[in-house]
Amino acid sequence: MPEPEPEPETEPAGTSGSTELEAVMHTPAGFIGNLDAAQMAALEEMRGVSAVEIASAAGQRLAGLLRGDDYMLVRFLRATDFVVPYAHRVLQKCLEWRAAQGLFAEDPARQELFARVEPIFPAGYHRYTTRGEPVELWRIGQIWPEAILEQFSQEEIEHIWFHHLERSLYAQRDVAAQLGWEAGTAGLVLVMDLQGMAKRHLSPRVLKLVSGLFGVGQRMYPENVNRIMVVNAPTLFELGFSVVPRPG
């Protein structure tokens, strides 16, 4: 198994300072600061029906990662086209799941598992875009899925994935804290570098695993991925991408 290449050093977007970034940053429609009348009414209704969820330990933890109660509620509203009953059900299920998984603080055991898997799952964050979106980079050719399946149990793989998804929320929180304005509220940009993608990434066993993990991301981390960018895509990519959902 080849050793993974070291992560390249990257410079942040807008290196001349926050003033330049603020010049290109604006709040997109449908986000806090740019809601239309109907969306504001939906948010007000969502506040009322979600009072119990907002006050729960899981709700406060998630809201803290997403910049506050309204930012959390709008994320679920956006994921459900601002249909309040549907958004409320999705929020309930998400918070119940987070409570069951104990996602109230950073977990040292999950951190240790993630440190063990990193050499064969090198996925990390590389600063942010000029729109304030954290950039997550996957080098697919350096990921060894069969090795992951051999070295970790299904339960351990799930805990590794949960930690990875939580890291995406930390990245969005940290960008917001660093840049201010509405940075980090629109989700992240996932860049998938497919150089070196091979048949080992497309076995039925691997695709089943990836589909299940990405499904958790979609259901429990709505609006987490704002954009997906694919580079160096081989012919094999079309087959693999057609059978797995977005990661979140």
Side-chain angles (χ1 to χ4, degrees), residues 44-225:
E44 184 63 30
E45 182 181 352
M46 187 71 170
R47 289 173 183 147
V49 300
S50 304
V52 171
E53 288 77 23
I54 293 170
S56 69
Q60 286 300 292
R61 167 66 175 172
L62 183 57
L65 294 173
L66 297 177
R67 295 193 67 184
D69 297 348
D70 282 355
Y71 288 92
M72 176 179 71
L73 297 180
V74 166
R75 182 166 287 210
F76 283 85
L77 286 167
R78 283 181 51 80
T80 55
D81 294 325
F82 284 84
V83 178
V84 174
Y86 185 23
H88 183 226
R89 287 196 299 272
V90 174
L91 174 64
Q92 285 178 314
K93 290 179 180 179
C94 173
L95 295 182
E96 288 169 1
W97 177 83
R98 292 181 66 83
Q101 299 302 327
L103 297 174
F104 298 110
E106 297 188 39
D107 186 330
R110 287 176 178 154
Q111 290 175 327
E112 188 273 334
L113 280 171
F114 196 83
R116 285 170 51 199
V117 82
E118 278 189 298
I120 50 178
F121 178 59
Y125 292 92
H126 293 261
R127 310 298 178 91
Y128 46 81
T129 70
T130 54
R131 289 194 269 182
E133 303 152 312
V135 176
E136 180 180 348
L137 175 62
W138 286 30
R139 288 192 170 91
I140 300 299
Q142 297 177 19
I143 296 176
W144 295 86
E146 290 292 347
I148 294 172
L149 286 164
E150 291 170 4
Q151 295 178 29
F152 299 91
S153 68
Q154 178 67 30
E155 182 179 8
E156 288 175 327
I157 291 172
E158 290 174 357
H159 285 302
I160 288 167
W161 184 243
F162 300 161
H163 181 71
H164 176 73
L165 292 171
E166 288 295 287
R167 288 173 73 232
S168 71
L169 298 183
Y170 305 154
Q172 293 167 67
R173 174 200 61 191
D174 294 345
V175 167
Q178 180 180 354
L179 302 181
W181 22 275
E182 301 305 313
T185 62
L188 57 87
V189 173
L190 175 59
V191 179
M192 303 184 78
D193 182 354
L194 303 189
Q195 183 174 5
M197 186 178 186
K199 290 183 179 179
R200 72 173 186 272
H201 298 104
L202 298 175
S203 72
R205 186 183 181 202
V206 169
L207 291 177
K208 180 179 179 181
L209 172 69
V210 172
S211 181
L213 296 178
F214 280 17
V216 172
Q218 281 191 323
R219 294 190 303 275
M220 302 306 168
Y221 293 78
E223 296 286 298
N224 198 45
V225 176

